[in-house]
Amino acid sequence: MTSPNATSPILGIDLGGTKVEIACARLNAEVLARKRIPTQAQDGPERGLERILETAQDVLARAEVPAKELCAVGISIPGPWDHDAGAFLDLPNLPGWEGYPIRQKLEEHFSAPIHMDNDANATALAEWKFGAGRGYDHLTYLTMSTGIGGGLILDGRLYRGKNFNAGEVGHQVIMPDGPPCGCGLLGHLEALCSGSGIARRLKEAVKPGSSLMWELAGGDPEKLTAEVLVGAVRKEDPLAQVFFHQTLEYLATGLANLVFILNPEAIVLGTIVARNPDLFLKSLERMVAERVWDVFTADLKILPAQLTDQIGVYAPLAVILDALNLEPEELTK
Amino acid sequence: MTSPNATSPILGIDLGGTKVEIACARLNAEVLARKRIPTQAQDGPERGLERILETAQDVLARAEVPAKELCAVGISIPGPWDHDAGAFLDLPNLPGWEGYPIRQKLEEHFSAPIHMDNDANATALAEWKFGAGRGYDHLTYLTMSTGIGGGLILDGRLYRGKNFNAGEVGHQVIMPDGPPCGCGLLGHLEALCSGSGIARRLKEAVKPGSSLMWELAGGDPEKLTAEVLVGAVRKEDPLAQVFFHQTLEYLATGLANLVFILNPEAIVLGTIVARNPDLFLKSLERMVAERVWDVFTADLKILPAQLTDQIGVYAPLAVILDALNLEPEELTK
């Protein structure tokens, strides 16, 4: 095989709890074909892999790339993993998939090397190589979807830690003896500020007639989501504003802890923050500055993620580029 | 000048809030002469530097090393600093020294290059190169004296962050709206578990007749220290035991946060923990394990620091070795 260059084709698999995005692209990020399917996690990993492989075949056919010409396969998975086995740990959004050796299974189907990482690391790499984090050597990435994940770029490279699971910034304790986190422990940032944490807190706080949020959720407590909260804040609903402010304070406390520990030059925030930068960023900047020393904020930028819609392609691609030790600049024509 | 080798002489300055240790040693850690003087911080930095230089002259004379033969001067300072200016920030234990460009002042007196870092980074480097942390690529060091400092060895090198002040692990929030920290912010780990934090909490908790601690302190609330606490725990004083358990829980929460974020393979704990490993380590191991996921504890060791008495020599030496990119193994005969 020739050494990888800008036009070498790769297959990317972005495996999430609800959907899988499969893409064939070139190393220079040119997308040849892509397809998104539901994960149907409840059917188990064997059936899941079958559907991924069928879709990959379809995507490769449309891209007119024979599988044997792939220079690498990248896969991003939703949470911590067993690096030695290339297997899932017990993930809340992939119930029953624990222990399934996905890397080995992919190796049986592809002659190209398989490169794997969790979604937070993969997205941190992608934002750093292609998005909001370009040019920063010390970058902390946080995503705030169902859970809160993190990826750490330190001294110009992804820091993975001893067991390849560093960056679990959502599991720092913000409120001792606070509400249970998805992981079972108490008072984590994720239990307060993730999509599911916000929804749980809203369910307790919002009663019929107390807030516009009740109407926006159609009177269904199950529909009180972070998006409903943001919608009501935009309409200046008082309860939503108080609740949102409290949520920002939790988040700022978590970010301040990270600033003291990691002294980053950029914090990149994904998902709901990236979609609503006007609501989040100014307040967060102020609240973080109130919680750390001046030396830490002199060079600190808090930025919205840029690749939101394209992340399904960029995340696995960035994992591959990192494994091959290639920079995007070397690959653009 | 010839390139540095095992016998090249260095001057080390370990500047603390109460004392300064000045040593002439070889790069292979052989100590030629050393002397300890009180800092007398209240006299200001100009007078402090004068006394340091006088003592250095004396130490070099006893070591029979002319200043012009030094291959480097290393200085460790007690807290965050301005890296570009080589100057002190506003440090609680060096009041009035803020802004003093100590690196430049030393450069005016020595022809050898000056290498500088804060004490927590310097001690982390020393424990990693010479002490409890040898052989670990992912190591978190914590000291718990007047304050709580930290130094992070990540991927086999010291991580300093954007402004050279990463590792301020004592300033993570453990108790929101908790007691004020020495830095002025609220509820930090340092405000609860440092020597001064423990003393402040003891002053509130211990009343005449309530505990052996009152007797051990001679009835003087100002003498209720962490050492008094440890002494009373060893004598199974009930209040001391409850108080100590609570202190360990705060500390374990802080360590668990660090484990989630950094996924280290070793945590090295200095000062009071290093002097009382039997009281601290087993309980901390259990409490940390209860607060993180199994994947993080599989390879994790919590260890007492080893260089306690020798740190005044090893800390500045380690800063120099790090700057010269030399390993101790390359230098021992």
PDB file of all heavy atoms in Angstrom, chain B residues 4 13 38 75 79 81 88 101-102 110 132 138 141 162 177 184 187 215 224-225 234 266:
ATOM      1  N   PRO B   4      26.560  19.742  29.912  1.00  0.00           N
ATOM      2  CA  PRO B   4      26.369  19.272  31.294  1.00  0.00           C
ATOM      3  C   PRO B   4      26.565  17.756  31.393  1.00  0.00           C
ATOM      4  O   PRO B   4      26.140  17.011  30.503  1.00  0.00           O
ATOM      5  CB  PRO B   4      24.903  19.630  31.580  1.00  0.00           C
ATOM      6  CG  PRO B   4      24.504  20.610  30.541  1.00  0.00           C
ATOM      7  CD  PRO B   4      25.348  20.334  29.342  1.00  0.00           C
ATOM      8  N   ILE B  13      17.786  26.844  44.748  1.00  0.00           N
ATOM      9  CA  ILE B  13      17.158  27.745  45.724  1.00  0.00           C
ATOM     10  C   ILE B  13      15.712  27.312  45.896  1.00  0.00           C
ATOM     11  O   ILE B  13      14.930  27.349  44.950  1.00  0.00           O
ATOM     12  CB  ILE B  13      17.203  29.213  45.234  1.00  0.00           C
ATOM     13  CG1 ILE B  13      18.637  29.638  44.932  1.00  0.00           C
ATOM     14  CG2 ILE B  13      16.554  30.139  46.254  1.00  0.00           C
ATOM     15  CD1 ILE B  13      18.741  30.949  44.161  1.00  0.00           C
ATOM     16  N   PRO B  38      15.867  31.563  57.434  1.00  0.00           N
ATOM     17  CA  PRO B  38      14.471  32.017  57.441  1.00  0.00           C
ATOM     18  C   PRO B  38      14.238  33.009  56.294  1.00  0.00           C
ATOM     19  O   PRO B  38      15.135  33.774  55.936  1.00  0.00           O
ATOM     20  CB  PRO B  38      14.319  32.706  58.803  1.00  0.00           C
ATOM     21  CG  PRO B  38      15.703  33.004  59.267  1.00  0.00           C
ATOM     22  CD  PRO B  38      16.631  32.053  58.590  1.00  0.00           C
ATOM     23  N   ILE B  75      15.400  27.622  40.746  1.00  0.00           N
ATOM     24  CA  ILE B  75      14.672  28.221  41.869  1.00  0.00           C
ATOM     25  C   ILE B  75      13.224  27.758  41.862  1.00  0.00           C
ATOM     26  O   ILE B  75      12.569  27.738  40.816  1.00  0.00           O
ATOM     27  CB  ILE B  75      14.770  29.771  41.886  1.00  0.00           C
ATOM     28  CG1 ILE B  75      13.931  30.349  43.042  1.00  0.00           C
ATOM     29  CG2 ILE B  75      14.373  30.380  40.560  1.00  0.00           C
ATOM     30  CD1 ILE B  75      14.218  31.793  43.371  1.00  0.00           C
ATOM     31  N   GLY B  79       4.188  29.278  44.784  1.00  0.00           N
ATOM     32  CA  GLY B  79       2.880  29.635  44.244  1.00  0.00           C
ATOM     33  C   GLY B  79       2.954  30.065  42.794  1.00  0.00           C
ATOM     34  O   GLY B  79       4.019  30.015  42.175  1.00  0.00           O
ATOM     35  N   TRP B  81       3.065  32.162  39.280  1.00  0.00           N
ATOM     36  CA  TRP B  81       4.007  33.218  38.916  1.00  0.00           C
ATOM     37  C   TRP B  81       3.755  33.686  37.499  1.00  0.00           C
ATOM     38  O   TRP B  81       3.040  33.057  36.724  1.00  0.00           O
ATOM     39  CB  TRP B  81       5.448  32.747  39.089  1.00  0.00           C
ATOM     40  CG  TRP B  81       5.798  31.481  38.345  1.00  0.00           C
ATOM     41  CD1 TRP B  81       5.237  30.247  38.520  1.00  0.00           C
ATOM     42  CD2 TRP B  81       6.790  31.326  37.325  1.00  0.00           C
ATOM     43  NE1 TRP B  81       5.822  29.330  37.675  1.00  0.00           N
ATOM     44  CE2 TRP B  81       6.775  29.959  36.936  1.00  0.00           C
ATOM     45  CE3 TRP B  81       7.691  32.189  36.713  1.00  0.00           C
ATOM     46  CZ2 TRP B  81       7.633  29.459  35.937  1.00  0.00           C
ATOM     47  CZ3 TRP B  81       8.535  31.681  35.731  1.00  0.00           C
ATOM     48  CH2 TRP B  81       8.498  30.335  35.361  1.00  0.00           C
ATOM     49  N   PHE B  88       7.014  37.225  40.693  1.00  0.00           N
ATOM     50  CA  PHE B  88       5.988  36.719  41.589  1.00  0.00           C
ATOM     51  C   PHE B  88       4.633  37.329  41.247  1.00  0.00           C
ATOM     52  O   PHE B  88       4.541  38.496  40.873  1.00  0.00           O
ATOM     53  CB  PHE B  88       6.315  37.087  43.043  1.00  0.00           C
ATOM     54  CG  PHE B  88       7.625  36.539  43.523  1.00  0.00           C
ATOM     55  CD1 PHE B  88       8.747  37.349  43.595  1.00  0.00           C
ATOM     56  CD2 PHE B  88       7.735  35.209  43.881  1.00  0.00           C
ATOM     57  CE1 PHE B  88       9.963  36.842  44.044  1.00  0.00           C
ATOM     58  CE2 PHE B  88       8.955  34.695  44.326  1.00  0.00           C
ATOM     59  CZ  PHE B  88      10.071  35.512  44.395  1.00  0.00           C
ATOM     60  N   PRO B 101      10.851  40.870  39.881  1.00  0.00           N
ATOM     61  CA  PRO B 101      11.330  40.001  38.777  1.00  0.00           C
ATOM     62  C   PRO B 101      12.525  39.154  39.222  1.00  0.00           C
ATOM     63  O   PRO B 101      13.649  39.404  38.808  1.00  0.00           O
ATOM     64  CB  PRO B 101      11.708  41.011  37.698  1.00  0.00           C
ATOM     65  CG  PRO B 101      12.128  42.235  38.468  1.00  0.00           C
ATOM     66  CD  PRO B 101      11.346  42.249  39.755  1.00  0.00           C
ATOM     67  N   ILE B 102      12.263  38.162  40.032  1.00  0.00           N
ATOM     68  CA  ILE B 102      13.324  37.395  40.677  1.00  0.00           C
ATOM     69  C   ILE B 102      14.246  36.725  39.651  1.00  0.00           C
ATOM     70  O   ILE B 102      15.466  36.674  39.847  1.00  0.00           O
ATOM     71  CB  ILE B 102      12.718  36.350  41.659  1.00  0.00           C
ATOM     72  CG1 ILE B 102      13.794  35.553  42.396  1.00  0.00           C
ATOM     73  CG2 ILE B 102      11.770  35.401  40.952  1.00  0.00           C
ATOM     74  CD1 ILE B 102      14.446  36.322  43.511  1.00  0.00           C
ATOM     75  N   PHE B 110      24.328  35.797  38.175  1.00  0.00           N
ATOM     76  CA  PHE B 110      24.950  34.534  37.770  1.00  0.00           C
ATOM     77  C   PHE B 110      25.093  34.498  36.251  1.00  0.00           C
ATOM     78  O   PHE B 110      24.196  34.940  35.531  1.00  0.00           O
ATOM     79  CB  PHE B 110      24.100  33.341  38.229  1.00  0.00           C
ATOM     80  CG  PHE B 110      24.020  33.207  39.722  1.00  0.00           C
ATOM     81  CD1 PHE B 110      22.903  33.685  40.418  1.00  0.00           C
ATOM     82  CD2 PHE B 110      25.054  32.619  40.441  1.00  0.00           C
ATOM     83  CE1 PHE B 110      22.831  33.567  41.803  1.00  0.00           C
ATOM     84  CE2 PHE B 110      24.979  32.500  41.825  1.00  0.00           C
ATOM     85  CZ  PHE B 110      23.865  32.977  42.507  1.00  0.00           C
ATOM     86  N   ALA B 132       8.738   8.857  44.797  1.00  0.00           N
ATOM     87  CA  ALA B 132       7.642   7.880  44.757  1.00  0.00           C
ATOM     88  C   ALA B 132       7.076   7.693  43.357  1.00  0.00           C
ATOM     89  O   ALA B 132       6.465   6.664  43.066  1.00  0.00           O
ATOM     90  CB  ALA B 132       6.525   8.345  45.692  1.00  0.00           C
ATOM     91  N   HIS B 138       1.847   9.003  34.004  1.00  0.00           N
ATOM     92  CA  HIS B 138       0.653   9.816  34.253  1.00  0.00           C
ATOM     93  C   HIS B 138       0.511   9.950  35.760  1.00  0.00           C
ATOM     94  O   HIS B 138      -0.029   9.057  36.422  1.00  0.00           O
ATOM     95  CB  HIS B 138      -0.590   9.155  33.675  1.00  0.00           C
ATOM     96  CG  HIS B 138      -0.450   8.754  32.238  1.00  0.00           C
ATOM     97  ND1 HIS B 138      -0.562   9.638  31.208  1.00  0.00           N
ATOM     98  CD2 HIS B 138      -0.161   7.565  31.670  1.00  0.00           C
ATOM     99  CE1 HIS B 138      -0.374   9.019  30.061  1.00  0.00           C
ATOM    100  NE2 HIS B 138      -0.126   7.757  30.312  1.00  0.00           N
ATOM    101  N   TYR B 141       0.536  14.958  41.459  1.00  0.00           N
ATOM    102  CA  TYR B 141       1.156  15.196  42.762  1.00  0.00           C
ATOM    103  C   TYR B 141       0.372  16.263  43.511  1.00  0.00           C
ATOM    104  O   TYR B 141      -0.007  17.285  42.933  1.00  0.00           O
ATOM    105  CB  TYR B 141       2.614  15.654  42.590  1.00  0.00           C
ATOM    106  CG  TYR B 141       3.205  16.161  43.872  1.00  0.00           C
ATOM    107  CD1 TYR B 141       3.633  15.267  44.847  1.00  0.00           C
ATOM    108  CD2 TYR B 141       3.300  17.519  44.135  1.00  0.00           C
ATOM    109  CE1 TYR B 141       4.135  15.725  46.052  1.00  0.00           C
ATOM    110  CE2 TYR B 141       3.813  17.989  45.341  1.00  0.00           C
ATOM    111  CZ  TYR B 141       4.222  17.086  46.299  1.00  0.00           C
ATOM    112  OH  TYR B 141       4.706  17.539  47.487  1.00  0.00           O
ATOM    113  N   LYS B 162      -1.217  26.953  29.496  1.00  0.00           N
ATOM    114  CA  LYS B 162      -0.983  28.143  28.682  1.00  0.00           C
ATOM    115  C   LYS B 162      -0.126  29.181  29.403  1.00  0.00           C
ATOM    116  O   LYS B 162       0.768  29.770  28.816  1.00  0.00           O
ATOM    117  CB  LYS B 162      -2.339  28.757  28.302  1.00  0.00           C
ATOM    118  CG  LYS B 162      -2.259  30.120  27.634  1.00  0.00           C
ATOM    119  CD  LYS B 162      -1.572  30.069  26.282  1.00  0.00           C
ATOM    120  CE  LYS B 162      -1.515  31.448  25.643  1.00  0.00           C
ATOM    121  NZ  LYS B 162      -0.626  31.469  24.469  1.00  0.00           N
ATOM    122  N   ASP B 177     -20.305  27.562  48.045  1.00  0.00           N
ATOM    123  CA  ASP B 177     -20.605  28.502  49.136  1.00  0.00           C
ATOM    124  C   ASP B 177     -19.977  28.060  50.456  1.00  0.00           C
ATOM    125  O   ASP B 177     -20.430  28.465  51.524  1.00  0.00           O
ATOM    126  CB  ASP B 177     -22.123  28.681  49.315  1.00  0.00           C
ATOM    127  CG  ASP B 177     -22.790  29.101  48.014  1.00  0.00           C
ATOM    128  OD1 ASP B 177     -22.227  29.985  47.336  1.00  0.00           O
ATOM    129  OD2 ASP B 177     -23.841  28.547  47.663  1.00  0.00           O
ATOM    130  N   GLY B 184      -9.330  33.818  48.490  1.00  0.00           N
ATOM    131  CA  GLY B 184     -10.483  34.703  48.525  1.00  0.00           C
ATOM    132  C   GLY B 184     -11.753  34.096  47.964  1.00  0.00           C
ATOM    133  O   GLY B 184     -12.850  34.571  48.264  1.00  0.00           O
ATOM    134  N   GLY B 187     -15.102  27.757  49.125  1.00  0.00           N
ATOM    135  CA  GLY B 187     -15.394  26.328  49.071  1.00  0.00           C
ATOM    136  C   GLY B 187     -14.356  25.479  48.373  1.00  0.00           C
ATOM    137  O   GLY B 187     -14.637  24.342  47.991  1.00  0.00           O
ATOM    138  N   GLU B 215      -6.905  19.608  74.724  1.00  0.00           N
ATOM    139  CA  GLU B 215      -5.765  19.443  75.631  1.00  0.00           C
ATOM    140  C   GLU B 215      -4.450  19.471  74.853  1.00  0.00           C
ATOM    141  O   GLU B 215      -3.483  20.108  75.254  1.00  0.00           O
ATOM    142  CB  GLU B 215      -5.880  18.126  76.411  1.00  0.00           C
ATOM    143  CG  GLU B 215      -6.815  18.211  77.629  1.00  0.00           C
ATOM    144  CD  GLU B 215      -8.283  18.299  77.239  1.00  0.00           C
ATOM    145  OE1 GLU B 215      -8.749  17.425  76.478  1.00  0.00           O
ATOM    146  OE2 GLU B 215      -8.964  19.265  77.662  1.00  0.00           O
ATOM    147  N   LEU B 224      -4.628  24.639  67.437  1.00  0.00           N
ATOM    148  CA  LEU B 224      -5.363  23.493  66.879  1.00  0.00           C
ATOM    149  C   LEU B 224      -4.925  23.307  65.430  1.00  0.00           C
ATOM    150  O   LEU B 224      -5.436  23.960  64.524  1.00  0.00           O
ATOM    151  CB  LEU B 224      -6.871  23.750  66.970  1.00  0.00           C
ATOM    152  CG  LEU B 224      -7.477  23.692  68.372  1.00  0.00           C
ATOM    153  CD1 LEU B 224      -8.855  24.342  68.394  1.00  0.00           C
ATOM    154  CD2 LEU B 224      -7.557  22.246  68.852  1.00  0.00           C
ATOM    155  N   THR B 225      -3.971  22.414  65.217  1.00  0.00           N
ATOM    156  CA  THR B 225      -3.404  22.225  63.874  1.00  0.00           C
ATOM    157  C   THR B 225      -3.726  20.838  63.336  1.00  0.00           C
ATOM    158  O   THR B 225      -4.266  19.986  64.040  1.00  0.00           O
ATOM    159  CB  THR B 225      -1.878  22.356  63.933  1.00  0.00           C
ATOM    160  OG1 THR B 225      -1.392  21.301  64.771  1.00  0.00           O
ATOM    161  CG2 THR B 225      -1.452  23.700  64.505  1.00  0.00           C
ATOM    162  N   ARG B 234      -4.862   9.286  66.441  1.00  0.00           N
ATOM    163  CA  ARG B 234      -4.058   8.130  66.873  1.00  0.00           C
ATOM    164  C   ARG B 234      -4.445   7.670  68.277  1.00  0.00           C
ATOM    165  O   ARG B 234      -4.283   6.514  68.614  1.00  0.00           O
ATOM    166  CB  ARG B 234      -2.569   8.485  66.831  1.00  0.00           C
ATOM    167  CG  ARG B 234      -2.027   8.666  65.423  1.00  0.00           C
ATOM    168  CD  ARG B 234      -0.524   8.468  65.354  1.00  0.00           C
ATOM    169  NE  ARG B 234      -0.052   8.618  63.982  1.00  0.00           N
ATOM    170  CZ  ARG B 234      -0.167   7.674  63.048  1.00  0.00           C
ATOM    171  NH1 ARG B 234      -0.700   6.501  63.338  1.00  0.00           N
ATOM    172  NH2 ARG B 234       0.256   7.899  61.815  1.00  0.00           N
ATOM    173  N   ALA B 266      -0.840   7.160  38.964  1.00  0.00           N
ATOM    174  CA  ALA B 266      -0.365   7.350  40.330  1.00  0.00           C
ATOM    175  C   ALA B 266      -0.754   8.732  40.829  1.00  0.00           C
ATOM    176  O   ALA B 266      -0.689   9.711  40.089  1.00  0.00           O
ATOM    177  CB  ALA B 266       1.145   7.186  40.398  1.00  0.00           C
TER     178      ALA B 266
END
